[in-house]
């Protein structure tokens, strides 16, 4: 007679710094390593892949869930951003997360809060920062706080937000935060669309067209790798996106580490990065050449 599988253990949920400190101290007393996966919730398979990667890298996995107001402009979707903590905690049980750190805004930004991080370097590459100038200051500030609160040995981020990954990596190195940053390749739907919480905003018709974004990126990468001129290739890609109904913010070829502009494959490893709107939904993606 086969035994039924043991019931999944739901991760503990900390809502205050005192509760967080108590749990992290318990891990440290046992000399356990800690990995952090920062998220804004509305978890999908891409987030869960980050947790699985963290599980392989450390003894304990902490997932933060915090919709960070500091990285939203007044015109953006902070109020409507999906929030579903109970469902997220249940999903995290499936991937064996140990702790969910879910503070509210008053815990993260208490009365009198007056210090913000102003990143430079990859944060001023003329990509996301050109269209969302507030964004990386908000990201760098909240990530610095999360690293100080959780004190992880490792933090895992997705490569889908590629510029953000480079900003966070630089932040950790420049401020001597003693955390190893791991970037996990983008998790995609079968049709190539990068997983994102904002995909929920797409209408069925828009969802049918959305994979064109990745398809155009892949075609551009293949052409550049085959020796085609970068400028002409990206111009052709921009036209293909426009024909599919996208309103393009940028389609750029950049050095994969510094995010500096490149003119040819001789300039170093190349990353293609794109941001475009489909209806009211803004999608981003990137791909190595």
């Amino acid at each position: 007679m086969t035994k039924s599988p043991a019931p999944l253990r739901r991760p503990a949920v900390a809502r205050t710094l005192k509760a967080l400190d108590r749990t992290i101290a318990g891990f440290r007393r046992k000399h356990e390593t800690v990995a952090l996966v920062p998220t804004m919730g509305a978890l999908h398979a891409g987030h869960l892949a980050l947790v699985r990667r963290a599980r392989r890298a450390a003894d304990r996995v902490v997932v933060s869930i915090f919709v960070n107001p500091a990285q939203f402009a007044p015109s953006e979707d902070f109020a409507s951003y999906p929030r579903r903590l109970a469902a997220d905690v249940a999903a995290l049980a499936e991937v064996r997360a140990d702790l969910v750190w879910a503070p509210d805004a008053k815990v993260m930004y208490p009365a009198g809060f007056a210090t913000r991080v102003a990143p430079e370097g990859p944060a001023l590459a003329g990509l996301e920062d050109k269209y969302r100038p507030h964004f990386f200051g908000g990201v760098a500030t909240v990530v610095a706080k999360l690293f100080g609160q959780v004190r992880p040995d490792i933090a895992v981020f997705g490569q889908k937000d590629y510029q953000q990954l480079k900003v966070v990596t630089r932040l950790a190195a420049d401020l001597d935060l003693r955390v190893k940053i791991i970037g996990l390749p983008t998790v995609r739907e079968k049709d190539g669309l990068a997983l994102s919480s904002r995909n929920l905003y797409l209408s069925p018709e828009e969802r049918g067209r959305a994979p064109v974004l990745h398809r155009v990126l892949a075609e551009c990468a293949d052409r550049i790798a085959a020796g085609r001129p970068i400028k002409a290739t990206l111009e052709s890609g921009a036209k293909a996106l426009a024909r599919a109904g996208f309103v393009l913010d940028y389609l750029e070829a950049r050095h994969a580490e510094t995010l500096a502009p490149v003119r040819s494959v001789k300039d170093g490893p190349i990353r293609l990065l794109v941001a475009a709107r489909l209806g009211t939904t803004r999608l981003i993606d990137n791909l190595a050449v």
Side-chain angles (χ1 to χ4, degrees):
M1 187 174 179
T2 57
K3 292 183 178 180
S4 344
L8 291 170
R9 180 179 59 81
R10 292 169 69 88
V13 178
R15 304 300 300 266
T16 67
L17 283 168
K18 186 176 181 180
L20 175 69
D21 288 345
R22 184 168 57 245
T23 305
I24 297 296
F27 298 157
R28 294 306 187 185
R29 277 194 299 271
K30 298 174 185 175
H31 305 287
E32 294 173 322
T33 54
V34 175
L36 172 66
V37 180
T39 82
M40 293 204 302
L43 303 183
H44 51 64
H47 294 112
L48 301 183
L50 299 178
V51 178
R52 291 188 185 96
R53 178 65 181 88
R55 181 89 268 164
R56 297 195 300 272
D59 299 315
R60 297 289 185 172
V61 177
V62 179
V63 178
S64 64
I65 296 178
F66 178 63
V67 183
N68 178 30
Q71 66 194 63
F72 288 80
S75 60
E76 293 180 338
D77 57 343
F78 175 72
S80 62
Y81 195 88
R83 294 163 171 84
R84 50 189 195 197
L85 181 62
D88 289 343
V89 172
L92 290 170
E94 298 278 350
V95 288
R96 298 171 51 226
D98 296 288
L99 175 67
V100 175
W101 169 224
D104 64 22
K106 291 180 180 179
V107 172
M108 293 299 283
Y109 302 115
F113 183 86
T115 303
R116 299 186 185 276
V117 178
E120 298 182 358
L124 300 178
L127 297 165
E128 285 298 287
D129 53 292
K130 180 179 178 180
Y131 293 88
R132 307 179 72 197
H134 60 285
F135 181 68
F136 288 119
V139 167
T141 299
V142 79
V143 169
K145 284 181 67 69
L146 289 169
F147 287 174
Q149 293 163 346
V150 178
R151 303 182 301 281
D153 302 284
I154 294 159
V156 184
F157 292 81
Q159 290 182 2
K160 184 182 81 71
D161 299 290
Y162 193 80
Q163 187 178 7
Q164 174 179 279
L165 173 62
K166 294 303 170 184
V167 170
V168 169
T169 302
R170 190 76 260 162
L171 170 79
D174 289 350
L175 299 186
D176 301 318
L177 298 180
R178 311 294 176 88
V179 54
K180 178 182 178 181
I181 308 299
I182 295 176
L184 191 72
T186 302
V187 179
R188 301 182 181 278
E189 301 280 8
K190 290 182 180 179
D191 58 13
L193 179 65
L195 293 184
S196 169
S197 300
R198 289 188 170 95
N199 291 350
L200 296 171
Y201 300 159
L202 295 167
S203 70
E205 189 272 336
E206 290 165 349
R207 176 62 186 83
R209 283 188 284 143
V212 173
L213 193 68
H214 178 251
R215 193 152 58 242
V216 167
L217 266 188
E219 290 169 356
C220 289
D222 288 344
R223 290 172 184 170
I224 292 169
R228 303 281 184 87
I230 289 177
K231 183 178 179 181
T233 298
L234 297 182
E235 286 174 351
S236 175
K239 291 176 182 176
L241 290 172
R243 286 195 298 271
F246 287 87
V247 178
L248 188 66
D249 281 350
Y250 59 81
L251 172 57
E252 296 271 354
R254 296 299 183 95
H255 189 283
E257 293 304 319
T258 67
L259 300 185
V262 295
R263 294 184 179 181
S264 78
V265 291
K266 297 178 181 178
D267 291 341
I270 295 175
R271 198 89 184 183
L272 301 185
L273 302 101
V274 66
R277 294 186 183 276
L278 190 57
T280 59
T281 306
R282 188 171 185 271
L283 302 174
I284 65 171
D285 204 346
N286 66 87
L287 199 64
V289 174

